[in-house]
């Protein structure tokens, strides 16, 4: 029989254990509270095009002719799931790319056998070799046709970056570009165009300077060529500078001076955005709210410095989590997914009309791996396309910096309810969070919610297999069956630790989504 002291000690231990369990239960099941207000009378913040979410493939991926099989049925299925979209073919190697309608066997700086069909290719090759812009590579008419047929089959519009390094002194040499444009028109390819990749960094990358004034002149030349050769309706997008940074003011200066001289020749102001350096980024960087806030600062800086040209749409024409090809085990896993979803939300809120993800295929930041298995960011991109509509709405949010929330009208292809809205959110914390919903848009007994919760098995943020409403996602066919949990509205929605949520809320009082 226990002594009184031992009995008291045992009871105290049990009491402590119960209190501990109660605290843990409260922490992980009651969770932090986040207050969200959505009102009936809304002003639409932005109206986005259907191809707002788009993707790129780096030109280096076609340097090896057989690396990307654009005829692959599976590759086409995976791209089609994200349509309508733009496919940008660009990157550093686009400024070393030479077009040749026919194959050039055994081509090198010392050997290029010219014919009537590839004369401009040999001229272009000599220019790159003379200035030691190496390595170069050839894109043949056959590969170009494959790429364009891929776009036609997948409901994507090609955005192609022409080689700006082909120059005569201070002016762009357009001979090889004209050959490509004429070839494309003959084949009736539908293309939008760019000229040069991150020209403000040319001094660092190529030991060459192309001033913003020279670039504006080159864009004028290209615009005239496109108009003359049957591409008058094609967009011309530029100047594709790097992101604004306090310690590198040349980016903003370059953008402003280019627009001051060339705004009449471009259809979109474009720049590239990354958060982190792939060589140094850590897991905690990917989930740090301060990292997320970098994009807001960069967008505001770029918009404030170019507000004189606000009538020209702004694009993120190349963007991902970390530059330098992506961070292995981070950019290509669920670790990078919250940054991607937040980028879509912030960009939409700030009326960035196109966001081009680097990349669809290739590198450690791709949506699809080399075995053509979709990665976490592909799945959330599909959900975004499926659920999120074009009209960006306003909400008021009293949350911690670890919860980020956005709202749009719902995608009309998902529901015929013209009052439906889609709320999407990110929970960066290792604990459950509750969103308490209120506002004049949400009242009545007939409100229902379709819920899609993305999470990681065992909260493993480095996973490449994610869960939808608790079930693992695997790609088996083009017929995706992404089913929601159906919930009755009760003024709250909740998110598990380290999760992403989409909620389509039907039968609201909002009229502006009609």
């Amino acid at each position: 029989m226990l002594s009184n002291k031992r009995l008291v000690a045992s009871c105290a231990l049990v009491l402590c254990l119960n209190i501990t369990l109660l605290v843990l239960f409260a922490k992980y099941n009651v969770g932090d509270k986040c207050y969200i207000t959505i009102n009936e009378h809304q002003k639409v913040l932005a109206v986005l095009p259907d191809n707002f979410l788009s993707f790129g493939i780096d030109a280096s991926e076609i340097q090896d002719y057989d690396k990307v099989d654009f005829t692959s049925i599976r590759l086409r299925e995976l791209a089609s799931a994200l349509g309508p979209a733009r496919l940008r073919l660009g990157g550093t190697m686009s400024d070393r790319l030479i077009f040749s309608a026919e194959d050039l066997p055994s081509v090198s700086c010392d050997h290029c056998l010219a014919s009537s069909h590839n004369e401009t290719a040999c001229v272009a090759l000599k220019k790159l070799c003379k200035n030691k812009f190496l390595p170069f590579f050839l894109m043949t008419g056959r590969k170009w046709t494959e790429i364009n047929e891929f776009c036609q089959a997948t409901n994507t519009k090609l955005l192609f970056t022409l080689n700006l390094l082909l120059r005569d002194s201070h002016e762009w040499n357009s001979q090889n570009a004209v050959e490509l444009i004429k070839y494309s028109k003959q084949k009736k390819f539908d293309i939008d165009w760019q000229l040069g990749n991150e020209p403000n960094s040319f001094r660092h990358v190529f030991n060459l300077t192309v001033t913003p004034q020279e670039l504006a002149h080159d864009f004028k030349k290209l615009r005239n060529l496109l108009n003359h050769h049957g591409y008058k309706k094609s967009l011309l997008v530029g100047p594709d500078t790097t992101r604004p940074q306090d310690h590198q003011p040349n980016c903003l200066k370059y953008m402003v001076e280019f627009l001051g001289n060339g705004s009449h020749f471009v259809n979109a102001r474009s720049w590239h955005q990354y958060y982190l350096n792939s060589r140094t980024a850590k897991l905690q960087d990917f989930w740090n709210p301060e990292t997320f806030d970098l994009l807001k600062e960069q967008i505001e800086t770029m918009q404030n410095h170019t507000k004189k040209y606000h009538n020209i749409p702004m694009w993120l024409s190349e963007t991902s989590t970390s530059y330098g090809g992506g961070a292995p085990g981070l950019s290509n896993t669920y670790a990078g997914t919250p940054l991607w979803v937040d980028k879509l939300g912030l960009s939409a809120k700030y009326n960035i009309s196109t966001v081009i993800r680097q990349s669809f295929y290739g590198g450690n930041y791709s949506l699809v791996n080399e075995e053509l298995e979709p990665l976490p960011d592909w799945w959330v991109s599909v959900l975004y396309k499926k659920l999120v509509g074009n009209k960006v709405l306003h909400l008021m949010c009293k949350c911690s910096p670890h919860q980020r929330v956005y709202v749009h009208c719902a995608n009309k292809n998902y529901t015929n309810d013209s009052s439906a809205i889609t709320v999407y959110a990110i929970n960066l914390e290792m604990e459950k969070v509750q969103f308490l919903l209120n506002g004049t848009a949400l009242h009545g007994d007939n409100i229902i919610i379709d819920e899609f919760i993305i999470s990681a098995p065992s909260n493993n943020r480095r996973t490449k297999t994610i869960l939808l409403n608790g079930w693992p996602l695997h790609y088996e066919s083009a017929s995706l069956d992404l089913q929601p949990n159906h919930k009755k509205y009760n003024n709250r929605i909740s998110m598990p630790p380290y999760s992403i949520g989409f909620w389509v809320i039907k039968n609201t009082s909002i009229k502006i989504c009609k």
Side-chain angles (χ1 to χ4, degrees), residues 256-310:
V256 171
E257 291 185 7
F258 169 81
L259 291 173
N261 291 271
S263 62
H264 298 300
F265 314 119
V266 292
N267 303 100
R269 299 167 285 164
S270 61
W271 52 288
H272 297 176
Q273 191 276 336
Y274 293 88
Y275 302 94
L276 302 164
N277 184 334
S278 295
R279 291 173 293 181
T280 59
K282 303 290 188 292
L283 176 61
Q284 56 266 33
D285 300 326
F286 277 69
W287 290 69
N288 185 341
E290 292 182 4
T291 302
F292 284 70
D293 290 338
L294 289 173
L295 176 60
K296 176 178 180 291
E297 296 166 9
Q298 291 164 359
I299 291 175
E300 289 178 346
T301 298
M302 190 63 81
Q303 287 184 336
N304 288 338
H305 280 77
T306 63
K307 58 187 174 184
K308 180 179 177 181
Y309 310 99
H310 67 274

Side-chain angles (χ1 to χ4, degrees), residues 336-456:
T337 305
L339 277 171
W340 175 229
V341 174
D342 190 68
K343 180 173 295 178
L344 294 171
L346 264 179
S347 298
K349 181 178 176 180
Y350 279 88
N351 198 21
I352 303 294
S353 58
T354 300
V355 176
I356 300 180
R357 167 60 183 261
Q358 184 81 347
S359 65
F360 178 68
Y361 177 95
N364 288 306
Y365 41 30
S366 62
L367 299 175
V368 174
N369 69 15
E370 291 187 353
E371 290 73 39
L372 301 187
E373 291 294 337
L375 296 168
D377 286 10
W378 182 89
W379 287 105
V380 296
S381 298
V382 169
L383 269 180
Y384 186 96
K385 287 273 189 177
K386 177 185 177 75
L387 305 175
V388 180
N390 303 66
K391 292 181 179 179
V392 186
L393 303 180
H394 173 74
L395 57 74
M396 289 176 283
C397 180
K398 292 182 180 179
C399 304
S400 88
H402 293 85
Q403 285 82 45
R404 308 175 77 87
V405 192
Y406 303 94
V407 62
H408 292 222
C409 294
N411 191 327
K412 296 184 184 302
N413 293 324
Y414 178 76
T415 176
N416 57 10
D417 176 6
S418 61
S419 75
I421 59 174
T422 300
V423 175
Y424 56 105
I426 302 155
N427 179 20
L428 299 175
E429 291 187 292
M430 177 54 186
E431 58 184 70
K432 185 176 181 179
V433 62
Q434 287 191 355
F435 295 99
L436 301 181
L437 304 176
N438 60 75
T440 58
L442 306 173
H443 59 81
D445 298 328
N446 61 339
I447 294 179
I448 56 175
I449 300 176
D450 289 354
E451 179 182 70
F452 300 79
I453 299 292
I454 293 289
S455 59

Side-chain angles (χ1 to χ4, degrees), residues 308-352:
K308 180 179 177 181
Y309 310 99
H310 67 274
N311 58 312
I312 305 174
M314 183 173 283
W315 292 14
L316 296 183
S317 52
E318 180 186 308
T319 187
S320 194
T321 51
S322 59
Y323 60 88
L330 294 170
S331 301
N332 56 353
T333 71
Y334 184 63
T337 305
L339 277 171
W340 175 229
V341 174
D342 190 68
K343 180 173 295 178
L344 294 171
L346 264 179
S347 298
K349 181 178 176 180
Y350 279 88
N351 198 21
I352 303 294

Side-chain angles (χ1 to χ4, degrees), residues 99-114:
F99 173 72
S100 176
E102 294 184 351
D103 291 353
L104 283 173
S106 305
V107 65
S108 69
C109 284
D110 300 320
H111 180 267
C112 186
L113 188 60

Side-chain angles (χ1 to χ4, degrees), residues 225-241:
L225 287 172
L226 293 173
N227 294 349
H228 179 72
H229 290 288
Y231 281 101
K232 190 172 184 177
K233 294 182 179 180
S234 288
L235 300 184
L236 183 53
V237 178
D240 264 32
T241 59

